[in-house]
Amino acid sequence: MARVVMQAVVSVDGYIAYPDDSVGPLFDWYFNGDTELCATASDWTFRVSRPSADHLQPIWDAIKVTVIGRHLFDTTNGWDGKPAAGDELVVVTHRPLPQEWLAAHPDAPFHTADSVEAGIALAKELAGDGLVDVTAGDLGGQAFSAGLVDEVAMDVVPVVLGEGVRFFGSHTGTVLLDDPDQVVQGDRVLHLHYAVRH
């Protein structure tokens, strides 16, 4: 059965982007190393430290489906029809994807769902026994609040943004995580992985 991980790069004070969705220095560590890190589905290649590459490449390779919200789809123009991670992508949205986008990307392995619950269920079905990656922020916070997230992965960057888009979105309330089972220090990033107690 597929596992669901909520993942993002995050500032020390818990933000994944500024209020205008820009990321400032959060992604600088993707380009400060000498070891290649590949997101095979999108053909994106990064240069990170060896510890970061050794930690992240197996995770990225295990991702079969990514779940995003409509805001991220619109912000990135659906990554031009190529999922940032995994073989397929589920967009949680109440509006159909733009016809012009669909016409420009007829072979995009994108699906839609009208609720977080339906999106996670579809992603798990598509992923088989692989990994489902749910983007942090409002969508991830909703999935987390609904008890649909099995793991939390944070790439913590030593910067304080002061304001912006929160890692857990609008989630409120207390949820216990296990102690981190992975703590990996990269160059200008600390990788943390937690299991969620259900």
Side-chain angles (χ1 to χ4, degrees):
M1 173 171 285
R3 299 179 346 263
V4 178
V5 60
M6 179 178 167
Q7 182 275 331
V9 177
V10 62
S11 67
V12 170
D13 56 341
Y15 296 106
I16 60 173
Y18 285 114
D20 67 358
D21 295 316
S22 64
V23 295
L26 288 179
F27 289 179
D28 289 356
W29 64 275
Y30 278 129
F31 309 100
N32 70 357
D34 57 6
T35 305
E36 197 170 87
L37 175 65
C38 299
T40 53
S42 62
D43 298 325
W44 294 349
T45 301
F46 304 97
R47 305 291 296 180
V48 299
S49 68
R50 168 59 63 190
S52 288
D54 289 348
H55 170 71
L56 289 174
Q57 193 67 67
I59 296 171
W60 287 12
D61 290 345
I63 294 171
K64 300 300 178 199
V65 182
T66 297
V67 182
I68 68 171
R70 180 58 183 265
H71 181 75
L72 185 58
F73 174 88
D74 290 341
T75 301
T76 64
N77 190 39
W79 292 297
D80 294 324
K82 293 183 177 180
D87 302 320
E88 301 190 65
L89 189 137
V90 175
V91 183
V92 176
T93 180
H94 297 294
R95 296 175 285 134
L97 300 183
Q99 285 299 319
E100 61 274 11
W101 187 91
L102 292 169
H105 309 288
D107 298 324
F110 283 38
H111 311 269
T112 58
D114 63 3
S115 70
V116 172
E117 293 81 4
I120 297 294
L122 175 57
K124 289 175 81 169
E125 180 182 325
L126 293 168
D129 61 358
L131 193 61
V132 172
D133 179 38
V134 178
T135 55
D138 286 335
L139 177 81
Q142 291 174 43
F144 187 79
S145 293
L148 302 173
V149 173
D150 302 308
E151 306 168 13
V152 173
M154 303 173 127
D155 303 312
V156 184
V157 174
V159 63
V160 176
L161 294 186
E163 63 177 340
V165 180
R166 295 175 52 213
F167 184 95
F168 288 100
S170 59
H171 170 78
T172 58
T174 302
V175 175
L176 293 178
L177 308 178
D178 286 336
D179 287 336
D181 55 31
Q182 298 173 37
V183 179
V184 177
Q185 183 172 343
D187 184 0
R188 302 292 299 160
V189 63
L190 181 67
H191 307 286
L192 301 173
H193 182 273
Y194 302 89
V196 179
R197 293 183 179 181
H198 288 292

